[in-house]
Amino acid sequence: MSVTADTNQHYDLDPEIFGEFLDPLRKYSSALYESPADTLEQAQRRKLRFVAQRLGLRGGEQLLDVGCGWGSLILFMAEEFGCRATGVSPAPRQHEYIAAQAGARGVAERVRTEVGHFERMDLPARSVDAVTLLGSIVHMPDLDAVFGKARAVLRRRGTLYVSESCFRNAAARTAFDGRAGTEFVREDIFGWGELRPLSELVTAAEDAGFSIIAVDDLTEHYRRTIDDWIANVDAAAARIDAHRPGLADQLRHYLEIANAGWGYTTKHYALTCRNAR
């Protein structure tokens, strides 16, 4: 699949597959753990509150979530903070799922989604208070376009939150970008994906005119998140394989590769940026 494809093969899988190993919110990015006793669901809800805190949400804001997945963030912010939340994703199945969930949770009037690629969408300038990209910028080839578009749609003093897995430095990228495990994730799972060093994200944000106001290292939290996902894949292997034989092993292999590199070749960061002018 090329970088200009309409969607990403991994996210076009049946949403019920993801329901087998993610938390009940179907949040597909790092959780935030506080104690050894935390469940995956507790840690994912804590992470969403952390994102709200980093964004400075007080209630009623206009929020744009780029790469909205199965809607965990936009549904949560609509329910908990009364935000008017828009999700963007190129995967049609995600939009159907989110619409059904918004109706079931009574927030349909505050939640909407748009099908498409954020960088190429015609969005009103200075129209939102916050933009979020949780684990989605890895699938977007043009960093300058992404950060430039995010700044264009943000109101003055608006906030951008980006969390992403990164090569820990440029040397690690050079050494490991073409390895078998990296190619398996890129080609067999995603269709396209590009890990970058954090420095490239910071440069693109600053070049777009953002001020960096926080950088958080969430690497250990993502390691534990994936451990929980692997345990869930193992517990649900028969049901997952009912969708496609061998899919559980493929998912487990992908998740094991992701967890093998933490702290050695990869890190997971949250970058918070302010549109200060």
Side-chain angles (χ1 to χ4, degrees):
M1 182 177 295
S2 72
V3 297
T4 57
D6 285 338
T7 187
N8 185 300
Q9 61 196 26
H10 188 58
Y11 305 110
D12 270 340
L13 293 174
D14 187 332
E16 294 309 309
I17 294 170
F18 295 91
E20 296 288 0
F21 70 94
L22 302 180
D23 68 294
L25 295 176
R26 298 193 183 181
K27 182 175 173 296
Y28 201 14
S29 57
S30 178
L32 188 64
Y33 294 86
E34 193 171 72
S35 78
D38 281 350
T39 66
L40 177 62
E41 180 178 6
Q42 289 170 333
Q44 290 291 22
R45 288 183 175 275
R46 182 178 297 109
K47 173 65 177 302
L48 289 168
R49 293 188 186 97
F50 171 80
V51 174
Q53 183 267 325
R54 280 286 181 257
L55 293 172
L57 299 184
R58 299 178 179 274
E61 287 87 357
Q62 298 275 352
L63 172 70
L64 177 65
D65 185 29
V66 180
C68 59
W70 287 270
S72 58
L73 188 144
I74 58 177
L75 292 165
F76 183 89
M77 299 308 178
E79 286 184 290
E80 298 290 323
F81 291 89
C83 291
R84 293 197 169 273
T86 300
V88 173
S89 169
R93 280 186 164 183
Q94 295 180 338
H95 298 268
E96 297 162 5
Y97 177 81
I98 293 167
Q101 287 294 308
R105 299 182 194 191
V107 293
E109 76 285 358
R110 294 200 297 275
V111 172
R112 68 185 185 91
T113 62
E114 295 192 24
V115 179
H117 293 269
F118 172 64
E119 314 96 300
R120 304 199 295 263
M121 297 179 77
D122 185 16
L123 299 169
R126 303 277 181 162
S127 58
V128 300
D129 303 294
V131 174
T132 52
L133 294 100
L134 276 69
S136 54
I137 210 165
V138 67
H139 305 301
M140 306 168 87
D142 190 339
L143 288 184
D144 291 337
V146 175
F147 282 98
K149 174 74 78 170
R151 184 160 182 262
V153 301
L154 276 168
R155 298 183 177 117
R156 189 168 183 270
R157 305 296 299 171
T159 308
L160 168 67
Y161 177 98
V162 177
S163 61
E164 195 53 79
S165 299
C166 300
F167 281 117
R168 59 190 308 271
N169 53 38
R173 180 184 194 173
T174 300
F176 290 93
D177 195 40
R179 295 286 181 93
T182 307
E183 286 299 306
F184 167 76
V185 172
R186 179 183 291 131
E187 299 298 332
D188 290 14
I189 300 295
F190 289 136
W192 191 85
E194 185 68 33
L195 264 68
R196 300 140 168 132
L198 173 65
S199 56
E200 291 192 14
L201 302 184
V202 170
T203 297
E206 291 180 333
D207 286 350
F210 282 105
S211 297
I212 310 299
I213 59 175
V215 178
D216 297 286
D217 181 355
L218 303 177
T219 305
E220 290 304 313
H221 296 279
Y222 213 168
R223 184 199 306 272
R224 184 168 165 188
T225 303
I226 294 177
D227 282 342
D228 281 346
W229 290 344
I230 290 172
N232 290 344
V233 167
D234 289 346
R239 294 190 298 275
I240 293 171
D241 281 345
H243 291 268
R244 190 179 79 204
L247 180 58
D249 280 346
Q250 186 186 48
L251 286 172
R252 189 182 221 288
H253 185 42
Y254 156 52
L255 295 171
E256 286 175 337
I257 289 171
N259 252 9
W262 293 130
Y264 177 53
T265 58
T266 52
K267 300 280 286 181
H268 189 79
Y269 295 106
L271 185 67
T272 308
C273 313
R274 179 69 41 77
N275 185 18
R277 55 184 177 83

